[in-house]
């Protein structure tokens, strides 16, 4: 019984770091998703967020926030630098 318990504990200890690393983002962003959304909405008042995701673009972490306005058909893509909070790009979403 002790041998089975020891084997089970060993497997759990070995697999736990593997699971945790798969859940971590590529790097730690200083700007949270919520902050990035607020920054994008400040640039386009009256719009609402349709999606936001953290991406690595040209070696930098960037929040890609898509927003929509009621009268605009295509969503607007706003890229917010995840380290500084500056908008690096804002415009229509490319197909």
């Amino acid at each position: 019984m002790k041998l089975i318990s020891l084997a089970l504990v060993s497997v759990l200890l070995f697999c736990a770091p593997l699971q945790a690393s798969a859940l971590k983002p590529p790097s730690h962003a200083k700007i949270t998703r919520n902050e990035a959304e607020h920054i994008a909405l400040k640039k386009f008042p009256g719009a609402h967020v349709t999606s936001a995701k953290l991406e690595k673009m040209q070696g930098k972490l960037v929040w890609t926030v898509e927003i929509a306005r009621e009268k605009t058909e295509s969503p607007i893509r706003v890229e917010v630098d995840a380290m500084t909070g500056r908008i690096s790009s804002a415009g229509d979403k490319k197909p």
Side-chain angles (χ1 to χ4, degrees):
M1 187 66 158
K2 287 183 180 180
L3 184 59
I4 293 172
S5 297
L6 182 60
L8 182 61
V9 169
S10 298
V11 168
L12 290 174
L13 289 175
F14 176 73
C15 292
L18 296 176
Q19 291 175 344
S21 65
L23 299 175
K24 287 183 182 178
S27 181
H28 296 288
K30 291 183 180 179
I31 304 300
T32 65
R33 177 183 178 150
N34 191 33
E35 291 169 327
E37 290 175 356
H38 284 286
I39 291 166
L41 290 173
K42 219 191 270 190
K43 176 108 173 142
F44 297 94
H48 64 277
V49 175
T50 58
S51 71
K53 63 182 175 179
L54 186 61
E55 299 179 301
K56 200 164 198 172
M57 299 177 116
Q58 298 175 347
K60 291 184 176 184
L61 277 178
V62 176
W63 283 104
T64 301
V65 182
E66 287 188 10
I67 58 176
R69 292 194 254 187
E70 291 181 27
K71 297 180 182 180
T72 306
E73 289 182 23
S74 62
I76 299 167
R77 181 177 173 161
V78 181
E79 294 174 2
V80 179
D81 188 304
M83 301 308 279
T84 64
R86 292 188 180 138
I87 293 177
S88 57
S89 174
D92 291 336
K93 182 180 175 182
K94 295 179 182 176

